[in-house]
Amino acid sequence: MEALIPVINKLQDVFNTVGADIIQLPQIVVVGTQSSGKSSVLESLVGRDILPRGTGVVTRRPLILQLVHIDPEDRRKTNEENGIDGEEWGKFLHTKNKIYTDFEEIRAEIEAETERLSGSNKGISDEPIHLKIFSPHVVNLTLVDLPGITKVPVGDQPRDIEIQIRELILKYISNPNSIILAVTAANTDMATSEALKVAREVDPDGRRTLAVVTKLDLMDAGTDAMDVLMGRVIPVKLGIIGVVNRSQLDINQKKLVVDSIRDEHAFLQKKYPSLANRNGTKYLARTLNRLLMHHIRDCLPELKTRINVLAAQYQSLLNSYGNPVDDKSATLLQLITKFAAEYCNTIEGTAKYIETAELCGGARICYIFHETFGRTLESVDPLGGLTTIDVLTAIRNATGPRPALFVPEVSFELLVKRQVKRLEEPSLRCVELVHEEMQRIIQHCSNYSTQELLRFPKLLDAIVEVVTSLLRRRLPITNDMVHNLVAIELAYINTKHPDFADACGLMNNNLDEQRRHRLKEMPAGVPRDKAPAGGSQSAPAGEQTEGGTGSWRGMLKRGEEGASSDRVTLQTQIPPSPQRSHAVNLLDVPVPVTRKLSAREQRDCEVIERLIKSYFLIVRKNIQDSVPKAVMHFLVNHVKDCLQSELVGQLYKAPLLDDLLTESEDMAQRRTEAADMLKALQKSSQVIAEIRETHMW
C-alpha cells in the first residue's frame, strides 16, 4: 500500500515532462481563507520553511508539492551522483535537474517564479509551480497549495480577484480523484467556514473532505474547540483534526518546525488530553498518507482505463499526422491516388466516411435529378403564361389576310415551341446544382476522407484548384448539351409521335360525340344536306387522307366542320337582312379585348390548347429523362474517369515535389507533442501494471 503514492508521483513526473494535465491524478488540495494557516500546515508537513510569507495574497499560483520519503541508501546514491551533501533537498520542474539543498533558496525561487507569470501587482495565475521535496522526515504525499479565499481586493489587486480565486479553487477540487483539505482557524465560527462551504459545492456527501482546525492556541480565554473537534458543530465524514501553528513572532525568530511540533504536542496534552493522540501535525500527516493511499487504490482501476483510452486516441492522432516523408515522389502519387479514389467513392456511395447529417455526393445528385429537377418540371404548367386571347391571336395571325377555313398548323407549332422553351431554364439549373455538389465533394474529401492532406496545405490547395478547373471546363460543355436537348425538341415538332397520335384520337372521339349530340338537337326544318358532313361519305374519306382518326389535322378539320354546322344553323334560323349597309372605318385594327368568344373561336382555342398540352407532356417526359443522362455523361462520369489522370498530369512533376509536400508550420510540432504524450501514456500504463501485479488490487 505504501508504494501506491510513489506510483502517483511517477505518473505526475511522466505527465510533467509533456506539460499536460489531461489525467486527473489523486492529490490533496489545500483550501482556506487568507491567513487561516494553510501555509503553516504545509510547512509543518514538510518540516521546513519553504513558502513565501507576508500579508494579503501571498500564494498567487498553485503549488503542486510532492513529498517523497527517502531511505539512507537512496540519499547516499543521490548525493554521490549529484555531488551534494545533505539529507534533504528539493527540485523544481521549471529548473530541470537543478537540486536545491538550501530551503531559503527554494522559497526565493517560488517567489521569483510567481512574479514571473503573475507579476508584482498581487494578481494570480492558474499555471502551477511543481516542487518535489526529498526527505527522510516526510511521508509520501502530493499536496496542492492554492491562493487563500478573499472577499475584497486590496491595493492594486484586480477587482474580480474573488471570482478569479474561486474559479481556480473549483478547478482543482472538482477533480473527483482529489482529497479536499479544508483549513479553518479555530478563532472563527466553524459554521461560517468558507473552506467547508466551497468544498460542499463539489463534494456534497463529504466523502473526500477532511477538515483541519488551526490556531487552537489563539482561542478566546474560557473557550475551547472540543465540540468542533468532536464533530458536534459540523460533522465531517473524513474527520476533523486540530493543529497549532507557529506564530508570526516564532517565524520572525526563526523557530524551527521541529520545535514547533514538540510545543504543539505539549499544548494538546495539556489542553485536550483526551484528544491529543488524534490531533496534531504528526497525526495529520499519517491520516493524509492513509487517506491518499486508500484513495489511490480506489482510483487506480479507473485511472488505468482512462490512460488506455487516451493512449488509443493519441495513437490515432499520431497516425493521422503521418510519418516524416522519405520518398516524396511515392508519397505524392499515393496521396493523389487516394484523393481521386475517395472522390469517386463519395459519388458512388462507397466512401469510408459516410455523412449522416445530410445528403452528400452521389445521393445528393440523385436527389437533384429525381426530386428537385423532377418536381420542378412537373410544376411547369403546359399552358402557363398562355391566355385564350394569345391562342386566338396566334390563330388569326397565322391565317394572313385570308379568312381561314381550318385552324392553321403554324399556330400550333408557334405556341407549342413557346411552351417547350420554358423547360430550358430548369434544365440548366439542374446542371448548376450538380456542378455545385461536385464542388462540395472536394471539401468533403479534404475534411473527412484524406486526413493526410491536412499535413500538406499547398498540395491540398493544388488538388482543389485542379479539380475545380476540371469542373469549370466541363460546365459549359454540359450546358451546351442540355441547351441542345431543348433545341432538338424545338427543331422538329413531331406530330406523328405515337403518344401524340393516341391523344389526338381520344380528342377526335370526343369531338365526334359532341357533333352527333348537336345533330340530334338540330330543328326538323333544317335539310340534312346542310348538316355538318355527318351524312356524307366524303368526310370520312377526307379524314383518312389527312391521317385517319388519330390525326391532329383531322381533329382541327372536325372543329371547323362543327363551326360550319353552327353557321348553317344560324343562317337557317335567322334569314339575312336585305339591307346591311352602314359606315365602316377600314383603318380600324381590331384589338383583343375581354369579350365572350363565339362558339367557333372557343372550339378552335380548346383544340389548340389540348394539342399543346398533349405535346408538351411528351416533350417534358423526354427532357426529364435525357437531361440527367446528359449531366451524368458529360459532367459526372467524365470527371470520375479523368480525375486521377488530370491530377497526375498537373501535379506529379519533379519541380513541384518539394513545394507541394511542404508540411504546415505547426504539423511537425504537433506530431512531436503527440508522440511524447503517447510515450508518457504508455509509460504510465506500464507503471500501473507493475503496481497491480505487486499489490494485487
Side-chain angles (χ1 to χ4, degrees):
M1 285 285 290
E2 186 68 27
L4 291 178
I5 295 179
V7 171
I8 296 302
N9 290 339
K10 286 183 180 179
L11 294 181
Q12 186 71 60
D13 292 342
V14 169
F15 291 117
N16 286 344
T17 58
V18 293
D21 55 357
I22 58 172
I23 296 291
Q24 295 179 317
L25 297 173
Q27 54 194 7
I28 299 170
V29 182
V30 185
V31 180
T33 57
Q34 278 187 28
S35 304
S36 61
K38 294 188 297 83
S39 298
S40 295
V41 170
L42 288 174
E43 287 182 336
S44 297
L45 294 173
V46 176
R48 289 289 196 130
D49 294 333
I50 60 170
L51 300 177
R53 294 285 182 171
T55 58
V57 181
V58 178
T59 304
R60 294 187 289 128
R61 285 180 61 181
L63 175 65
I64 298 179
L65 179 62
Q66 292 176 257
L67 304 183
V68 182
H69 177 80
I70 55 173
D71 55 30
E73 179 60 27
D74 291 335
R75 183 171 71 249
R76 184 187 59 78
K77 184 178 179 181
T78 303
N79 289 343
E80 291 177 356
E81 289 177 353
N82 297 277
I84 60 175
D85 184 17
E87 62 175 8
E88 298 175 298
W89 65 88
K91 291 174 66 175
F92 287 97
L93 176 65
H94 63 273
T95 58
K96 305 303 179 184
N97 296 322
K98 183 178 180 181
I99 293 178
Y100 296 81
T101 54
D102 184 352
F103 283 83
E104 287 293 333
E105 192 178 351
I106 290 177
R107 177 191 294 178
E109 182 60 32
I110 292 175
E111 292 176 347
E113 183 64 12
T114 299
E115 291 194 2
R116 186 180 67 83
L117 280 187
S118 303
S120 56
N121 63 342
K122 299 296 182 181
I124 66 170
S125 169
D126 62 352
E127 186 71 23
I129 299 174
H130 293 267
L131 171 62
K132 241 181 179 182
I133 300 294
F134 299 84
S135 170
H137 308 300
V138 299
V139 294
N140 291 312
L141 288 175
T142 300
L143 304 132
V144 181
D145 186 23
L146 296 174
I149 300 172
T150 185
K151 292 292 183 182
V152 181
V154 178
D156 55 357
Q157 287 180 345
R159 292 186 178 180
D160 63 341
I161 187 70
E162 178 187 359
I163 298 175
Q164 289 185 28
I165 293 176
R166 178 180 174 81
E167 290 178 349
L168 179 60
I169 291 172
L170 288 174
K171 174 183 175 182
Y172 279 88
I173 65 176
S174 297
N175 172 11
N177 295 333
S178 66
I179 294 175
I180 305 171
L181 191 65
V183 179
T184 303
N187 55 1
T188 61
D189 189 351
M190 190 76 168
T192 62
S193 170
E194 288 290 335
L196 288 175
K197 178 183 176 183
V198 74
R200 283 188 175 180
E201 291 184 22
V202 296
D203 182 33
D205 298 333
R207 294 182 179 179
R208 53 188 183 91
T209 301
L210 174 68
V212 174
V213 179
T214 61
K215 304 181 181 180
L216 290 176
D217 56 332
L218 298 182
M219 297 187 68
D220 293 339
T223 63
D224 61 33
M226 185 67 71
D227 289 341
V228 172
L229 296 176
M230 294 290 290
R232 295 170 186 160
V233 178
I234 295 181
V236 180
K237 283 188 177 180
L238 295 186
I240 301 174
I241 299 176
V243 297
V244 176
N245 303 101
R246 288 182 299 167
S247 65
Q248 189 61 45
L249 178 63
D250 293 337
I251 295 171
N252 294 339
Q253 293 179 350
K254 305 292 184 181
K255 184 177 181 179
L256 297 178
V257 175
V258 177
D259 296 337
S260 174
I261 292 175
R262 186 176 60 250
D263 293 344
E264 174 194 53
H265 179 69
F267 174 83
L268 291 173
Q269 288 289 351
K270 177 181 178 182
K271 190 73 176 176
Y272 304 96
S274 62
L275 300 178
N277 61 339
R278 286 184 284 136
N279 288 277
T281 301
K282 288 186 176 181
Y283 180 77
L284 174 63
R286 292 195 302 271
T287 302
L288 289 176
N289 179 263
R290 175 177 53 81
L291 289 176
L292 187 57
M293 284 192 298
H294 285 284
H295 198 61
I296 291 171
R297 182 194 60 188
D298 296 338
C299 294
L300 274 180
E302 182 182 349
L303 194 61
K304 184 176 186 298
T305 302
R306 172 68 175 158
I307 288 175
N308 290 339
V309 170
L310 284 173
Q313 292 176 353
Y314 272 91
Q315 183 65 63
S316 176
L317 183 64
L318 188 60
N319 292 341
S320 70
Y321 292 154
N323 298 320
V325 179
D326 296 326
D327 188 345
K328 293 187 176 182
S329 178
T331 301
L332 178 60
L333 187 60
Q334 179 185 0
L335 291 174
I336 289 175
T337 302
K338 186 170 183 179
F339 179 89
E342 290 294 340
Y343 190 92
C344 296
N345 290 339
T346 303
I347 295 175
E348 295 296 333
T350 58
K352 181 179 179 181
Y353 297 91
I354 297 178
E355 184 67 58
T356 57
E358 60 178 353
L359 292 179
C360 177
R364 191 175 186 87
I365 293 174
C366 179
Y367 182 86
I368 291 170
F369 285 157
H370 302 292
E371 299 292 332
T372 307
F373 178 58
R375 290 181 180 179
T376 302
L377 287 189
E378 289 171 3
S379 68
V380 177
D381 184 4
L383 301 176
L386 198 62
T387 65
T388 304
I389 293 298
D390 293 337
V391 176
L392 185 60
T393 302
I395 294 173
R396 297 176 66 179
N397 284 338
T399 61
R402 294 174 298 281
L405 296 176
F406 306 105
V407 178
E409 301 176 21
V410 177
S411 60
F412 165 71
E413 291 198 8
L414 174 69
L415 293 171
V416 81
K417 286 182 178 180
R418 170 180 166 180
Q419 297 307 100
V420 169
K421 183 70 175 173
R422 297 169 61 213
L423 297 175
E424 183 174 15
E425 183 180 349
S427 300
L428 293 175
R429 177 59 180 159
C430 175
V431 178
E432 183 181 349
L433 290 174
V434 174
H435 176 267
E436 289 175 359
E437 179 57 27
M438 299 282 283
Q439 196 75 33
R440 287 178 69 244
I441 295 175
I442 304 175
Q443 190 64 35
H444 173 82
C445 293
S446 302
N447 291 342
Y448 301 102
S449 304
T450 50
Q451 288 286 335
E452 295 91 338
L453 280 177
L454 299 179
R455 295 175 56 194
F456 311 108
K458 291 186 177 180
L459 175 59
L460 178 58
D461 292 343
I463 288 177
V464 171
E465 178 60 33
V466 171
V467 182
T468 302
S469 176
L470 177 59
L471 290 171
R472 194 184 302 121
R473 292 200 308 271
R474 298 305 301 176
L475 183 60
I477 297 173
T478 311
N479 281 336
D480 289 344
M481 184 59 201
V482 171
H483 175 78
N484 287 336
L485 290 175
V486 179
I488 288 169
E489 296 290 347
L490 296 173
Y492 181 64
I493 305 301
N494 181 18
T495 56
K496 289 289 187 180
H497 193 286
D499 294 341
F500 187 63
D502 292 343
C504 291
L506 291 174
M507 286 187 279
N508 282 341
N509 294 336
N510 291 338
L511 288 174
D512 285 342
E513 186 65 31
Q514 292 174 11
R515 185 175 60 185
R516 282 194 294 271
H517 182 67
R518 286 196 301 271
L519 285 174
K520 289 178 183 179
E521 295 178 351
M522 191 175 292
V526 178
R528 287 295 173 183
D529 58 347
K530 300 290 186 180
S536 73
Q537 298 297 322
S538 61
E543 291 175 9
Q544 294 298 328
T545 14
E546 291 296 332
T549 350
S551 167
W552 71 284
R553 291 189 181 86
M555 190 175 73
L556 293 177
K557 192 171 182 181
R558 293 180 186 207
E560 288 298 328
E561 290 170 352
S564 301
S565 136
D566 289 346
R567 241 184 348 263
V568 171
T569 305
L570 186 59
Q571 289 173 0
T572 305
Q573 292 176 343
I574 307 174
S577 173
Q579 293 182 347
R580 298 173 60 92
S581 59
H582 56 275
V584 177
N585 184 358
L586 297 178
L587 296 179
D588 283 346
V589 178
V591 178
V593 293
T594 304
R595 63 179 176 81
K596 186 176 180 181
L597 302 180
S598 67
R600 175 182 175 175
E601 290 173 338
Q602 188 171 353
R603 276 191 299 274
D604 290 350
C605 290
E606 286 178 359
V607 169
I608 290 293
E609 287 175 354
R610 289 179 182 180
L611 290 171
I612 291 173
K613 185 174 182 180
S614 175
Y615 195 82
F616 179 88
L617 294 177
I618 294 171
V619 175
R620 185 173 73 183
K621 185 177 179 182
N622 293 342
I623 293 296
Q624 191 170 350
D625 179 63
S626 58
V627 167
K629 291 178 178 178
V631 174
M632 286 299 296
H633 177 71
F634 287 92
L635 181 61
V636 180
N637 290 343
H638 187 278
V639 170
K640 281 172 51 183
D641 296 340
C642 300
L643 180 59
Q644 182 165 354
S645 59
E646 188 77 14
L647 287 171
V648 171
Q650 295 286 339
L651 303 179
Y652 192 62
K653 299 176 181 178
L656 300 177
L657 286 177
D658 292 337
D659 186 50
L660 292 178
L661 294 180
T662 301
E663 285 189 318
S664 58
E665 295 179 359
D666 60 338
M667 183 57 69
Q669 179 182 351
R670 282 189 287 175
R671 187 192 297 112
T672 302
E673 291 175 354
D676 292 343
M677 181 58 70
L678 180 61
K679 189 182 299 183
L681 290 166
Q682 291 171 342
K683 186 175 181 181
S684 301
S685 183
Q686 292 174 0
V687 170
I688 294 177
E690 291 172 2
I691 294 298
R692 182 175 183 177
E693 293 175 0
T694 305
H695 295 273
M696 302 287 292
W697 94 84

